[in-house]
Amino acid sequence: MAESSSTSPHRQTRRNSMDTPPMDLRSSSGALSEELQCSICLDVFSDPVSTPCGHNFCKHCLKQCWDTSQGYHCPLCKEKFNKRPDLKINTTLREIVQLFKERSGQKKSEVLCDMCDDKKLKALKFCLVCQISYCETHLEPHQRIPNFKKHKLIDPVENPEDFICQKHEKPLELYCRDDQTCVCMLCAVTEHKTHNTVALEEESGERKPELKKIQTDVKQKIQDRMNKIQDIKHSAELRKKRTEKEKSDSAELFSALIRSIERCHTELLEMMEQKQKTVEKHDEDLIKDLEQEISELKWRNRELDKLLHTEDHLHLLQIYPSVCSPVNTKHCPEISDTEIQLSVEPLVKALTELQKTLDEKLSETVLKRVQQYAVDLTLDPDTAYPYLILSDDGKQVRSGNIKLKLPDKPERFDSCTCALAKEGFSSGRFYFEVQVKEKTEWDLGVARESINRKGKIILSPANGYWTVILRNENQYQACGAPPLSLSLRVKPEVVGVFVDYEEGLVSFYDVKARSHIYSFTGQSFTEKLYPFFSPDHIKKGPLIISQVKLLK
């Protein structure tokens, strides 16, 4: 009964299981569709099987063909086979077909009853013994007849062959733990008779705790990734806000600069106009005086001419003193280059003030930006030189008079008054501030993880240190190769240190003055960097890791 009912009804069920009409694959999907087409039913493969000659057909199509023919041959190339080949589902090709159906827009198949003659109803159960799908009406004998009640029923499936032994056509009811595969009763007493086989329910029950553990892990990974997505979105939002703030600050800065330039330009034009008026007035006065002198000189010339031709000797002698006295002329000096230079000094002063404003505004803007990357640091007592005293909260370090009895760990400095932070950074950007106002000597910066911490230490990037130091109360240096003396206008009270790992940048700032001190640029970082502190041997005051207060 099961054998006779599993041929033609299955064929009809497959043809009616699609929610869309049969496709002419040659006209819809090109070369790939032709490879996925059964040459018997001219439809996409359903449970494809391969013949010994290498051609593929739907399993039910090929079975029906061989059931109604005298011998066994390939319907496509007509190659004959001596005996009926043992056909097994080509699972790889079946998965490709399923993927093709999904991408072709076909809806998921609905399993229909194999027993319905006219209108196929939706199947309610599939019998593993009968290998038939039943609707609610045709399932009734399995619920009433004692022998049928023993049959194993499962929910309807699109591929019932997956639940049936391909060799014995019996339900897969057992699990072989040796071969880790599902087998039927006949398999268990033949090729698997010496193997450890158990009921599917038993093996499934033992696997469920493991599946539950895997599910918990999967759920945790899902949650972790959802949290990561939220973190990324949050970081993106913060970056967007910072960018908008920087754009606003930049616009404000350049607006102020433009106003300063315009003011200087106006002052320059006013000075040039005033200078022009002064020169013109000077020239007018000079011309007027010269014209007056010319008139006087012309009168004297006429009088002299008369005296040279007169016979009146008494008159000549009487007027002689007046015409021979020096001409009284006024001094009208020209404007010298020195006077011109003095007149443009206000302009030079204005431009100098403008440059100063520009530098201050740019430094302030950059400092505001890097403060966004502030991190919370704590001094690492395992790295501290034995003469250093650390506060209980790990935020302060100063030099002491007594050598503390501390274990000589590999990470501890044994000859120099140095300490590192617990926190290290191997990517991204970070910023911290240190109060130094009571100190007359200090070292600050960052150091790579692999630095030598024993014996004498030379601060330089080549040795893994990027630092700025103070010596003798007012001598500042950037510890490069060679060291570079720094000229600071004011004594810093709080020093900010900013690192951009990927850019190879280490910058130092005077936070109170809102000015830039020095930057190491173009560095190449390949390992973790740790904030570096040294209060030196001077006992006056500690170095204090400050809480960053964002500039307004």
Side-chain angles (χ1 to χ4, degrees):
M1 175 180 175
E3 179 66 25
S4 63
S5 301
S6 62
T7 55
S8 107
H10 276 161
R11 172 75 176 122
Q12 191 173 7
T13 301
R14 296 305 190 282
R15 296 290 295 181
N16 293 320
S17 65
M18 305 299 292
D19 288 334
T20 56
M23 298 187 303
D24 182 359
L25 295 179
R26 281 192 180 91
S27 63
S28 62
S29 303
L32 178 60
S33 64
E34 294 182 5
E35 296 297 326
L36 302 180
Q37 177 184 356
C38 174
S39 60
I40 298 176
C41 67
L42 301 180
D43 203 349
V44 288
F45 287 121
S46 176
D47 297 329
V49 294
S50 300
T51 61
C53 59
H55 294 112
N56 300 308
F57 305 92
C58 297
K59 181 180 180 181
H60 50 270
C61 291
L62 188 58
K63 185 176 181 180
Q64 187 179 35
C65 179
W66 285 350
D67 287 345
T68 58
S69 63
Q70 295 292 331
Y72 309 112
H73 64 275
C74 173
L76 191 61
C77 68
K78 308 304 180 183
E79 180 179 340
K80 293 183 178 181
F81 311 116
N82 295 328
K83 62 178 182 177
R84 185 166 180 160
D86 184 17
L87 300 177
K88 293 186 178 181
I89 301 295
N90 187 332
T91 56
T92 300
L93 182 56
R94 185 174 66 185
E95 291 175 1
I96 295 174
V97 170
Q98 185 62 33
L99 181 62
F100 176 77
K101 288 180 179 179
E102 292 174 359
R103 294 189 175 181
S104 298
Q106 299 185 49
K107 297 181 181 178
K108 186 177 180 180
S109 301
E110 183 180 77
V111 179
L112 303 180
C113 177
D114 292 327
M115 300 300 294
C116 292
D117 292 328
D118 298 327
K119 182 180 179 181
K120 293 287 185 179
L121 299 179
K122 182 179 179 181
L124 185 64
K125 292 290 182 179
F126 176 77
C127 177
L128 290 173
V129 178
C130 302
Q131 301 184 30
I132 294 177
S133 297
Y134 294 101
C135 65
E136 185 175 7
T137 301
H138 291 107
L139 185 65
E140 187 270 338
H142 281 74
Q143 298 170 334
R144 177 174 51 83
I145 300 174
N147 285 340
F148 282 176
K149 285 184 178 181
K150 297 178 182 179
H151 290 189
K152 189 167 184 179
L153 300 175
I154 62 173
D155 291 334
V157 292
E158 291 186 46
N159 303 306
E161 291 81 2
D162 292 344
F163 298 83
I164 306 298
C165 175
Q166 297 294 308
K167 183 174 183 180
H168 302 110
E169 296 192 352
K170 299 293 182 182
L172 297 173
E173 300 180 89
L174 302 174
Y175 183 79
C176 177
R177 288 177 171 171
D178 293 343
D179 294 339
Q180 297 187 7
T181 186
C182 297
V183 297
C184 69
M185 290 292 187
L186 285 179
C187 291
V189 297
T190 54
E191 59 262 37
H192 294 272
K193 66 180 180 179
T194 61
H195 294 179
N196 180 15
T197 56
V198 296
L200 292 179
E201 292 80 0
E202 179 182 348
E203 183 67 19
S204 176
E206 293 185 7
R207 293 289 180 91
K208 282 185 177 180
E210 181 181 352
L211 292 176
K212 188 175 182 180
K213 182 179 179 181
I214 295 174
Q215 184 187 37
T216 301
D217 182 60
V218 169
K219 286 182 178 179
Q220 184 60 49
K221 289 181 178 178
I222 292 173
Q223 187 61 45
D224 291 343
R225 281 147 182 78
M226 290 177 66
N227 292 340
K228 184 65 175 178
I229 290 174
Q230 291 301 317
D231 291 342
I232 293 173
K233 289 182 177 179
H234 181 65
S235 298
E237 185 65 25
L238 289 179
R239 283 196 302 270
K240 182 179 179 181
K241 289 181 179 179
R242 284 198 297 267
T243 300
E244 292 300 322
K245 183 66 166 58
E246 290 174 6
K247 287 166 64 177
S248 176
D249 291 344
S250 176
E252 181 181 348
L253 169 63
F254 283 100
S255 295
L257 292 176
I258 290 172
R259 289 194 298 269
S260 297
I261 292 172
E262 288 176 346
R263 185 177 65 253
C264 289
H265 183 235
T266 301
E267 292 176 358
L268 174 61
L269 292 177
E270 290 176 353
M271 285 189 291
M272 292 174 66
E273 185 175 353
Q274 184 61 39
K275 178 63 179 175
Q276 179 65 23
K277 289 180 179 180
T278 302
V279 172
E280 289 178 354
K281 181 65 167 58
H282 175 272
D283 291 344
E284 289 175 0
D285 292 343
L286 180 59
I287 291 172
K288 186 176 180 181
D289 292 338
L290 290 174
E291 287 177 344
Q292 181 65 32
E293 290 181 8
I294 291 172
S295 297
E296 293 180 2
L297 291 172
K298 284 183 176 180
W299 171 83
R300 183 166 296 192
N301 183 55
R302 287 195 299 272
E303 290 299 320
L304 289 172
D305 187 60
K306 291 178 182 179
L307 291 177
L308 289 173
H309 297 87
T310 186
E311 296 296 334
D312 187 351
H313 304 291
L314 177 62
H315 177 68
L316 184 150
L317 294 175
Q318 289 176 340
I319 203 173
Y320 176 83
S322 61
V323 295
C324 292
S325 62
V327 178
N328 186 19
T329 59
K330 294 183 178 180
H331 177 65
C332 298
E334 296 183 359
I335 298 178
S336 66
D337 292 339
T338 302
E339 290 176 309
I340 295 175
Q341 185 176 359
L342 290 175
S343 69
V344 298
E345 280 186 3
L347 175 60
V348 174
K349 182 178 180 181
L351 292 175
T352 302
E353 289 297 322
L354 176 61
Q355 182 64 47
K356 179 182 176 183
T357 301
L358 174 61
D359 293 341
E360 290 176 351
K361 288 287 186 181
L362 289 176
S363 295
E364 180 178 340
T365 301
V366 173
L367 184 56
K368 286 181 180 179
R369 180 174 62 84
V370 300
Q371 280 188 329
Q372 305 298 322
Y373 301 97
V375 293
D376 186 23
L377 299 181
T378 306
L379 292 163
D380 186 356
D382 291 337
T383 66
Y385 179 59
Y387 280 91
L388 292 181
I389 300 174
L390 275 60
S391 62
D392 293 338
D393 62 0
K395 300 296 184 181
Q396 301 185 27
V397 57
R398 61 183 177 86
S399 295
N401 297 319
I402 302 174
K403 183 177 181 180
L404 303 177
K405 293 182 179 180
L406 301 173
D408 186 18
K409 296 185 176 182
E411 58 267 35
R412 187 180 305 284
F413 293 93
D414 67 352
S415 299
C416 297
T417 56
C418 307
L420 301 178
K422 290 181 179 179
E423 297 77 16
F425 305 87
S426 56
S427 64
R429 301 168 178 173
F430 63 94
Y431 172 83
F432 60 95
E433 293 179 354
V434 182
Q435 182 177 309
V436 298
K437 65 179 181 179
E438 295 184 9
K439 300 294 296 176
T440 56
E441 291 192 1
W442 48 257
D443 304 351
L444 288 176
V446 293
R448 66 177 178 229
E449 188 173 21
S450 63
I451 53 172
N452 176 33
R453 310 181 191 197
K454 308 300 181 183
K456 183 180 179 181
I457 291 175
I458 298 177
L459 299 178
S460 72
N463 294 327
Y465 297 88
W466 292 266
T467 58
V468 166
I469 66 174
L470 168 64
R471 294 290 183 269
N472 302 322
E473 195 168 347
N474 59 5
Q475 296 177 2
Y476 296 91
Q477 276 189 348
C479 295
L484 177 66
S485 295
L486 303 175
S487 178
L488 305 184
R489 290 184 298 171
V490 294
K491 182 180 177 68
E493 295 184 2
V494 178
V495 174
V497 182
F498 171 70
V499 176
D500 188 327
Y501 193 96
E502 282 73 24
E503 289 295 326
L505 173 68
V506 182
S507 295
F508 299 82
Y509 297 91
D510 181 340
V511 177
K512 186 175 181 180
R514 304 188 179 190
S515 61
H516 175 253
I517 296 176
Y518 183 76
S519 287
F520 293 94
T521 60
Q523 307 300 303
S524 179
F525 303 132
T526 58
E527 56 185 273
K528 191 172 288 188
L529 298 178
Y530 288 85
F532 172 84
F533 309 85
S534 174
D536 282 293
H537 296 284
I538 306 300
K539 308 301 186 294
K540 186 176 181 180
L543 291 178
I544 303 174
I545 300 175
S546 306
Q547 182 178 1
V548 175
K549 297 180 181 179
L550 300 180
L551 299 178
K552 296 181 180 180

